[in-house]
């Protein structure tokens, strides 16, 4: 059943009396070329187990099942149960789990390593991605369709307006790449923004050495809390760490970072060096 067509998608939604919920970010792909490209660029093969987040009516799920050994589709909207039973009926390697991707333990759903491939609802993009990376799930690769401006933030270099906490979080845990852009007119309903498909290859080790990952991200978050402030002011006034100005000054001078610079000018490596020095001084 080829459902990635405007007429078929509309017919399925009408027949199952489904009204799409804006609050769940439900925008369904209606272009087979885009779907095939996602699966191909994720390098899905007959040895892979794939978890899909938000299968919707199952258009991407079908394509994944044709290439993968097993697909586990995690869907929060139980209203889609009947339509998924219909669209996925001919496949014997798909399991649909009705649960919240922000809470489910992905490692409990499959054995061994797995890939995650999804057309993500935009409203949960950042919390889902960071949860997958921070909680140490057994995922080897993530291929997501996300809002284009979010994709640009993920791969941003220091110095620009797109560079921030998300950039550092993604680049600390993965090698990130924007694979291709997707226009609004290949969805029902059409979103108001362009999308991008992003590949995140999960690193076995972070590219920088930090004494404490938790403390490192506290420093990063504090640095970007007020983007217009200098790194000196941001850190010395951060409520989540309680650092004295003298300690911040000593740390910045010690690692040769100009106290007048803003957080967006600091590289991942500089943040790592700075957080290690502050940690050392803070715990004396």
């Amino acid at each position: 059943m080829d459902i990635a067509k405007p007429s078929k998608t509309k017919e399925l939604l009408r027949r199952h009396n489904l009204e799409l919920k804006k609050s769940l970010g439900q925008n369904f792909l209606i272009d087979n070329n885009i779907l095939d490209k996602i699966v191909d660029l994720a390098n899905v093969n007959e040895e892979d187990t794939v978890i899909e987040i938000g299968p919707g009516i199952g258009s991407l799920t079908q394509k994944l099942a044709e290439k993968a050994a097993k697909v586990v589709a995690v869907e929060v909207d139980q209203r889609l149960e009947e339509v998924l039973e219909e669209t996925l009926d001919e496949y014997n390697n798909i399991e649909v789990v009705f649960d919240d991707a922000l809470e489910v333990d992905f490692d409990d759903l499959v054995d061994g390593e797995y890939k995650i491939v999804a057309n993500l609802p935009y409203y949960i993009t950042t919390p889902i991605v960071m949860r997958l990376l921070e909680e140490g799930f057994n995922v080897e690769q993530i291929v997501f369709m996300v809002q284009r401006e979010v994709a640009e933030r993920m791969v941003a270099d220091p110095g620009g307006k797109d560079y921030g906490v998300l950039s550092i979080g993604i680049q600390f845990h993965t090698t990130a790449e924007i694979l291709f852009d997707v226009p609004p007119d290949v969805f029902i309903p059409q979103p108001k923004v362009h999308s991008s498909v992003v590949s995140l290859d999960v690193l076995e080790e972070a590219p920088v050495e930090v004494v404490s990952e938790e403390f490192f991200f506290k420093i990063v978050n504090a640095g970007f809390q007020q983007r217009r402030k200098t790194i000196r002011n941001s850190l010395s006034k951060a409520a989540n760490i309680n650092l004295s100005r003298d300690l911040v000054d000593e740390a910045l001078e010690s690692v040769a970072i100009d106290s007048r610079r803003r957080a967006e000018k600091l590289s991942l490596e500089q943040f790592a060096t700075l957080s290690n020095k502050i940690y050392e001084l803070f715990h004396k």
Side-chain angles (χ1 to χ4, degrees), residues 7-76:
S7 58
K8 189 61 180 177
T9 296
K10 289 176 182 177
E11 188 266 328
L12 275 169
L13 295 174
R14 183 173 60 252
R15 183 154 47 79
H16 288 273
N17 196 28
L18 286 170
E19 291 187 12
L20 302 186
K21 289 188 176 182
K22 191 174 182 181
S23 62
L24 294 178
Q26 291 174 326
N27 302 90
F28 299 150
L29 273 165
I30 51 170
D31 188 309
N32 277 302
N33 291 328
I34 298 292
L35 291 166
D36 289 334
K37 197 171 181 181
I38 292 171
V39 176
D40 289 343
L41 289 173
N43 296 312
V44 176
N45 61 61
E46 65 276 3
E47 297 180 357
D48 286 331
T49 297
V50 178
I51 292 179
E52 181 191 8
I53 297 171
I57 60 173
S59 53
L60 178 57
T61 323
Q62 290 181 339
K63 302 287 188 181
L64 291 168
E66 288 165 7
K67 294 286 185 73
K70 182 178 181 181
V71 178
V72 179
V74 180
E75 175 57 60
V76 72

Side-chain angles (χ1 to χ4, degrees), residues 79 97 99 106 117 148 204 234-235 262:
R79 299 177 310 140
V97 176
D99 208 333
F106 295 101
V117 183
R148 186 164 67 187
E204 291 186 11
S234 295
L235 295 181
R262 294 177 180 173

Side-chain angles (χ1 to χ4, degrees), residues 122-254:
Y122 292 151
Y123 78 103
I124 61 167
T125 297
T126 299
I128 279 287
V129 172
M130 294 315 297
R131 178 174 185 247
L132 287 169
L133 299 177
E134 291 174 350
E135 295 190 20
F137 290 113
N138 203 17
V139 57
E140 59 177 318
Q141 185 185 17
I142 302 168
V143 176
F144 280 157
M145 184 180 298
V146 299
Q147 190 172 333
R148 186 164 67 187
E149 68 175 41
V150 175
E152 289 169 348
R153 281 165 38 208
M154 287 180 176
V155 302
D157 293 323
K161 63 179 179 61
D162 293 327
Y163 183 71
V165 175
L166 180 61
S167 318
I168 291 175
I170 293 294
Q171 293 165 34
F172 184 87
H173 291 288
T174 75
T175 300
E177 179 186 5
I178 296 177
L179 300 177
F180 63 97
D181 294 331
V182 182
D185 60 5
V186 297
F187 296 92
I188 288 181
Q190 290 189 22
K192 295 180 179 179
V193 297
H194 281 69
S195 307
S196 296
V197 175
V198 181
S199 173
L200 307 177
D201 289 325
V202 180
L203 299 169
E204 291 186 11
E205 294 183 5
V208 292
E209 186 175 339
V210 294
V211 176
S212 164
E213 186 175 323
E214 181 183 1
F215 191 81
F216 168 75
F217 280 106
K218 280 186 178 181
I219 294 295
V220 171
N221 278 284
F224 284 99
Q225 207 160 34
Q226 299 182 64
R227 293 183 69 104
R228 290 184 175 275
K229 288 187 178 295
T230 64
I231 189 66
R232 178 188 191 227
N233 286 338
S234 295
L235 295 181
S236 58
K237 294 181 179 179
N240 66 329
I241 316 180
N242 193 27
L243 301 174
S244 70
R245 187 177 290 271
D246 287 345
L247 186 148
V248 171
D249 284 342
E250 183 179 349
L252 288 167
E253 183 178 355
S254 194

Side-chain angles (χ1 to χ4, degrees), residues 250-252 254-255 272-282:
E250 183 179 349
L252 288 167
S254 194
V255 298
T273 303
L274 178 59
S275 75
N276 288 341
K277 176 53 68 174
I278 292 175
Y279 186 92
E280 175 192 325
L281 296 172
F282 188 73

